[in-house]
Amino acid sequence: MSNDKVERFEDSFTRVAGKFAGNKMLLTLRDSFILVSATSMIAGFALMISSVFVSPSSGLIFSDSGLNLGALIFGSADAFKASGLYSGLGTASTLIGLVSHGSLDVFAVLLVVVFARTFSKKYFPHAEEHLTSVLYALGSFFICMPWKFTYTPTDTTDSINVLNYMDTTFFGTKGVFAALVITGLAVWIYNTVLDKGLKISMPDSVPPAVARSFESLIPGCATMGFFVILTSLSTSLTGQSMPELFLTLLQAPALAISNTGAFAFVSQFTWSLLQWFGIHPTSIWGPIFGLTWNINDTQNMLGQAQNIYSTLYMNFSTVAAGTCSVAPVLALILFSKRASAKKITKIPIMPAIFNISEPITFGLPIVLNPLYLIPFVVAQPLGFYIGLFFTQIGFIGPIVNNVPWTVPTLISGLLYTGSINGLLVQAVILAATTAIYIPFIKIDNKVNPEVDPDEEKAQTDGAGEQVDSPVLEADAIAVGELPTSKSAPAVA
């Protein structure tokens, strides 16, 4: 393919991806899921502490599936189970796990609040009070909830009809799609009616807070009345509430697609490809993962399912395994013969340890550098599928612990899986993804032959003589479009 065609492809790809990444609705969804994920991270961290460190029956420290310190301290497993320490650890584990009740179990409700405010600010920035949008979005969501459902007690197979009680299972992951659709509609209806001037205007002497409350009455009635009608139509025509319909028609198919290998391949391949073009992949994949893999995360953390494909798994196998940060830095340190390249690795080494890849992707640079296109794009899917292989053979289980993605490689493997096997899998991934860079770093060594630093200094000290310097030619190839030294007119 000629250079012109390559440039046209790059321009087209960047333009299309840029428009997609800049879509207002995707940005709204992305920002909403990022904000809500704060509570999920706290819950995940609490559950990880509870199940990995504190739990006396399955934890890494005290149980016989871990270090078995309980039996070692008390002389036997039975003595440990009969001890006060076992009971105390069990109670502590349960109490720590309660954090999920205020976060994961009400994920959809939290999403209504955050999405309503974010949607209102993005689409109706002129609104004087965004909290009223949140208020009516919450009201609309609860109007649509199932207030009649069938329940089967644990000690019997006979189900009973429960009337005038809300089915709170839709507060969690089951209600995510319903939360988004109902909230978006509610905020749009409320603000559109308000913009049409259908409101009660109060005199200037009335305090602003009171005036805005009265202004919201007509738009609020229109919003909530709309969902009363929709709920009536839904239950009378289909026998299902709106959240149940959304779960059947939208959420279940979307989750089924996201759990396929094809979806995983496309997401992982294009993730690093987008990043190579300098486009942050979170802008595009963040909303999609938020609607699918984040639900899988929550179900895994709550013990409701053991989904393999999830953002937790992706972080374990690629991000926290150092695929995009530690691997290229390690490869350069070990195999690059260029002093300038080794010098670059001193800058991103610390961020890389904490899985922050930007200093190396933009500093080396990897972004738009054809030399590193193949290893960078291949490394992430490779790490992903190595982890998948070890999961499918049962060497590690599905990832159920939520660990901050900035936890260094190997340590995070231990915490994500709660076993030494996770550390070993990350070590394999890191070795494989580092090895991918070796041939390309050797090409870099040949294409950009290094010269003695003293000779380089002597050349740069000579006015104008550095134009023909091989070092400058090398830098021109290595750093691409980054600005270079003022004493290098040949590069400019």
Side-chain angles (χ1 to χ4, degrees), residues 106-286:
V106 291
F107 185 85
V109 179
L110 298 177
L111 191 58
V112 169
V113 175
V114 174
F115 185 62
R117 187 170 185 275
T118 308
F119 188 93
S120 179
K121 292 183 72 175
K122 291 273 188 187
Y123 284 85
F124 302 96
H126 58 277
E128 294 182 357
E129 182 58 82
H130 296 290
L131 281 178
T132 50
S133 295
V134 176
L135 182 68
Y136 290 111
L138 269 174
S140 302
F141 180 70
F142 289 128
I143 285 173
C144 297
M145 289 294 290
W147 285 82
K148 180 181 72 174
F149 58 96
T150 302
Y151 173 71
T152 304
T154 54
D155 55 349
T156 180
T157 58
D158 297 329
S159 59
I160 57 175
N161 292 322
V162 180
L163 303 176
N164 296 324
Y165 283 91
M166 198 180 297
D167 185 356
T168 56
T169 58
F170 283 94
F171 284 7
T173 56
K174 283 175 65 177
V176 168
F177 272 59
L180 292 173
V181 176
I182 292 169
T183 299
L185 272 174
V187 174
W188 182 82
I189 293 170
Y190 172 77
N191 283 282
T192 301
V193 173
L194 195 63
D195 288 346
K196 297 289 184 184
L198 299 174
K199 60 185 179 182
I200 299 174
S201 299
M202 302 298 289
D204 294 339
S205 57
V206 175
V210 176
R212 282 198 289 273
S213 296
F214 276 92
E215 285 179 356
S216 74
L217 290 179
I218 293 177
C221 287
T223 304
M224 299 180 82
F226 175 78
F227 285 101
V228 168
I229 295 171
L230 275 189
T231 299
S232 174
L233 290 174
S234 173
T235 52
S236 60
L237 296 178
T238 68
Q240 289 184 308
S241 65
M242 288 179 62
E244 289 168 328
L245 273 180
F246 287 130
L247 180 65
T248 304
L249 300 177
L250 297 178
Q251 185 162 322
L255 289 177
I257 293 172
S258 72
N259 280 321
T260 62
F263 179 89
F265 175 80
V266 171
S267 67
Q268 296 311 293
F269 179 77
T270 57
W271 185 281
S272 45
L273 184 63
L274 288 166
Q275 201 165 2
W276 185 84
F277 277 99
I279 300 169
H280 205 296
T282 304
S283 300
I284 294 177
W285 279 107

Side-chain angles (χ1 to χ4, degrees), residues 251-267 285 288-289 291-300 304-313 384-385 388 392 398:
Q251 185 162 322
L255 289 177
I257 293 172
S258 72
N259 280 321
T260 62
F263 179 89
F265 175 80
V266 171
S267 67
W285 279 107
I288 300 172
F289 285 164
L291 288 169
T292 54
W293 283 9
N294 281 10
I295 295 176
N296 290 352
D297 288 337
T298 305
Q299 291 176 343
N300 283 4
Q304 298 172 348
Q306 288 197 323
N307 301 296
I308 292 179
Y309 299 130
S310 65
T311 52
L312 291 180
Y313 169 74
F384 188 87
Y385 285 106
L388 183 63
Q392 290 182 333

Side-chain angles (χ1 to χ4, degrees), residues 310-344:
S310 65
T311 52
L312 291 180
Y313 169 74
M314 183 180 73
N315 289 343
F316 160 76
S317 61
T318 61
V319 179
T323 299
C324 298
S325 56
V326 180
V329 173
L330 197 59
L332 283 168
I333 291 174
L334 294 176
F335 299 100
S336 179
K337 296 180 180 178
R338 301 178 58 237
S340 54
K342 284 183 173 292
K343 190 175 181 179
I344 288 173

Side-chain angles (χ1 to χ4, degrees), residues 60-82:
L60 184 65
I61 307 299
F62 296 98
S63 74
D64 55 5
S65 60
L67 299 176
N68 206 16
L69 285 185
L72 292 175
I73 293 172
F74 289 91
S76 69
D78 290 337
F80 173 53
K81 290 181 180 177

